[in-house]
Every structure is written in C-alpha cells, then in structure tokens.
Amino acid sequence: MRKRILTGITTTGTPHIGNYLGAIKPALDLVDSENDSFFFLADYHALIKQTDSSEIEKSVKDVALSWLASGLDPEISNFYRQSDIPEVHELTWILSCCAAKGLLNRAHAYKSFVSENIKSGADEDKGIHLGLFSYPVLMTADILIFNATHVPVGPDQAQHMEMARDIAGKFNHTYSNLLTIPETIIQNEISVPGIDGRKMSKSYDNIIPFLSNEKTLKKSIARIITNSLEPGEPKDHQSCTLFQLYLFFASNDEIESMKQAYKDGISWGDVKKELFKVINNELMPIREKYLELIDDPNLLNDLFAAGASKVRPQAQQLIEKMREVTGITKIV
Ligand code: TRP
C-alpha cells in the first residue's frame, strides 16, 4: 500500500539553521514517488503561544518560504495551511468527545506548565488556556482528517502520537472503522549547537540565521565562541562548536582534512573561514530561490489556495461519513 506521510509545521518564529538541519531537511528527504506526502503549516497551533497577529502573519510567510526554498515542490507534495481546511475543527470537536480528559492530563507539555505553577506557589491553572490543554486533539485531527499512515515527528511529539492513536481507536471502536491509525516515525533529534555552544534556539539568542545574506551569515559565524588557543597550537576538534557545525555541511574528505588541521594548529580565524565556505555553499542556492520567491507577491496566496483545493475534498468526504455514523445527518 502507498504510504501517506503527513507532518505539521508550527508557524512560530523564523527558521534558523537548527530548524533547517533538524526538521526541514529530514522531512524533505522522505519525499519520493512511492509515497504521498502532506506538509502543512499548523497556523492555528501558533495561537497557543503567540497573540501578536503581525508575528503570526510574518511567521507563516517565513516558514512557507523556507520550506519552498529548501526544495519542497508543491507539484509533488501536498502543501497547505491548516486554517484553509476548516473541517479540521469539526473533526477536532468530534474527537474531543472521544478523548479522555485523563489522557490529556498526562501530556508532558501541559504537565510541565502545571508543575512550574505549583513550584512557584501559584494556582496550578495559572496562565493555562483550554487551547494548550486540548492541543493534542487538534494535532490528532490534523493527522486523521487525511488518513495519514505515517507521521514523522521529533521525539518530543511521540506522546502526542500515542494520544492520536488512542483517540482514533476510541472513535473507530465507538462508531465505525473510518479512521486510519497512524504510525509514528520518530526522527532522531539532531543536536545543532548555537554560537555559544548550547543547543541552537531562539530562546537562547544564539542562532545562525537561515535565509540571511552572506554578510549576516559571516557575522554570526565570527561570533561563535572558541577557546583562546593561539594559531600554531594544536586544538581539539571534538569539543569545538565550529567543528560540530562543520560536520553538518562538509564532505567526508573535508572533515578528515579539518581534523588534521586542528592537530596542526589551524587558527580560529581560518576555521571560521572554512566553516563559512561550506555553509554558504549549501545555503546559496536556497537563498537565491528564496529571493526569487519573495519577489512574487501573489505566489504564496496562490500556492495556499491551490494546495487547499487539492486536498480539501478528501477532508469533506471524511467529515460527511463521520456525520453519518455519529448521527449528525440531514433529517429525511
Ligand atoms: N505539534 C507539532 C510540533 O510542535 C506540529 C504539528 C501540528 C504536527 N500538527 C501536526 C506534527 C500533525 C505532525 C502531525 O512539532
């Protein structure tokens, strides 16, 4: 049977190199002619964390252009916005009535908010809205609405996938076998260090931007923290942030000669030059594509409209059947 691979991309922030290496590239690697692929922008998920409307709009654009520039081909993969498929919300309600509250109580993300509140002596529900609590049900609906068979996610989403499978099973058992129980593909967490050596993350303010120009890229690389060994002194590649980043972009031969250069006492300035070269080589065509895409003001709207009209009929069909089996039908 043809696999149907589906994954959602939450539209918060602007993608950085860590997102590119850890999420965009591995997801696009799964696309081949043997499978159907569905990639969607989970824009309604973004409302859980972001209330600034201009940030929401900007992020949808930045994220969409990052994926397209990196090689997502909307002729091959289905690419759409969650908000263009309103059936997702109808399904969310039906599934909410199949989702045990006790199951959602156990969600790590929700539980960590509660435990932070308790630790700080606040009411345990402080700052927690229903959207945060029931978010796994919306994610379940995203997946089940298109009968996905395989869902690639990071390890932090594994528990949500178990919930999706549980909720789908409950619906099938209660009403009718309409829903496909999805398999989880856990994508290894790729640990990309930021310029201070900690995990690259917007919240640590240590990112290397992804769609920036060469000058900004060079500046970020110049800011990467090293030790104070002088040129000529042998250096350890293993503990070095520059080398860890180099590994993601360089060829095997380049990596081997860089190891030797560390032993021979290469200067930090020269390592940074080499690192810039390999990163820039990979990002240059992506940057060019991005500049071409951003030049066309109607492109994204047209793409989103085309993407939704291609897949939405399937969602409508499923909802129609679900209405039937749950008794929400026309009176005849
Ligand atoms: N919750 C996912 C994340 O934060 C994003 C997401 C939303 C998703 N809906 C999905 C992933 C459906 C896979 C399938 O990474």
Side-chain angles (χ1 to χ4, degrees), residues 76-112:
I76 294 174
S77 300
N78 293 292
F79 186 52
Y80 55 94
R81 277 188 308 195
Q82 178 187 43
S83 56
D84 288 327
I85 316 293
E87 288 73 22
V88 165
H89 304 290
E90 197 165 344
L91 180 55
T92 298
W93 181 254
I94 300 174
L95 297 177
S96 292
C97 299
C98 297
K101 176 169 178 283
L103 182 76
L104 295 171
N105 282 342
R106 290 194 287 277
H108 302 311
Y110 161 71
K111 267 172 55 179
S112 79

Side-chain angles (χ1 to χ4, degrees), residues 6-10 40 42 45 82 135 138-140 142-143 151-153 156-157 160-161:
L6 175 147
T7 198
I9 312 146
T10 307
F40 71 95
H45 280 273
Q82 178 187 43
Y135 146 101
L138 179 57
M139 175 164 164
T140 300
D142 292 330
I143 296 165
V151 180
V153 286
D156 62 319
Q157 301 293 315
H160 296 150
M161 287 306 302

Side-chain angles (χ1 to χ4, degrees), residues 133-289:
F133 181 71
S134 64
Y135 146 101
V137 186
L138 179 57
M139 175 164 164
T140 300
D142 292 330
I143 296 165
L144 303 182
I145 193 79
F146 292 119
N147 289 312
T149 63
H150 292 79
V151 180
V153 286
D156 62 319
Q157 301 293 315
Q159 190 195 27
H160 296 150
M161 287 306 302
E162 282 316 305
M163 291 179 172
R165 292 163 54 83
D166 184 298
I167 296 167
K170 181 75 192 297
F171 177 92
N172 284 350
H173 180 74
T174 309
Y175 297 104
S176 171
N177 261 327
L178 292 179
L179 300 174
T180 304
I181 313 281
E183 303 274 335
T184 311
I185 305 177
I186 298 287
Q187 290 184 308
N188 287 336
E189 191 140 32
I190 295 181
S191 178
V192 181
I195 60 172
D196 59 357
R198 290 185 293 174
K199 181 182 157 68
M200 192 181 295
S201 159
K202 201 176 134 199
S203 50
Y204 294 151
D205 196 18
N206 66 354
I207 62 135
I208 299 178
F210 172 51
L211 295 171
S212 63
N213 56 29
E214 285 190 4
K215 203 168 140 204
T216 311
L217 178 61
K218 208 173 267 174
K219 259 197 207 152
S220 310
I221 292 174
R223 287 174 56 216
I224 296 175
I225 295 172
T226 60
N227 60 28
S228 52
L229 289 174
E230 297 288 336
E233 290 187 87
K235 299 174 175 67
D236 175 32
H237 66 268
Q238 255 152 0
S239 58
C240 178
T241 305
L242 294 173
F243 187 80
Q244 283 160 13
L245 286 166
Y246 194 71
L247 284 175
F248 289 112
F249 296 95
S251 68
N252 288 341
D253 285 352
E254 287 169 325
I255 290 168
E256 284 314 308
S257 37
M258 186 56 91
K259 276 187 196 164
Q260 188 58 45
Y262 270 71
K263 280 192 201 131
D264 297 342
I266 186 173
S267 72
W268 290 132
D270 284 344
V271 182
K272 286 182 174 178
K273 259 189 222 151
E274 289 304 312
L275 180 62
F276 170 77
K277 222 192 277 171
V278 289
I279 297 185
N280 197 46
N281 263 348
E282 180 154 343
L283 297 193
M284 203 158 19
I286 296 175
R287 192 186 296 131
E288 277 165 15
K289 180 90 201 270

Side-chain angles (χ1 to χ4, degrees), residues 17 38 41 51 67 107 117 196 268 272 329:
I17 283 201
F38 284 60
L41 300 163
T51 53
W67 281 72
N117 280 339
D196 59 357
W268 290 132
K272 286 182 174 178
T329 44

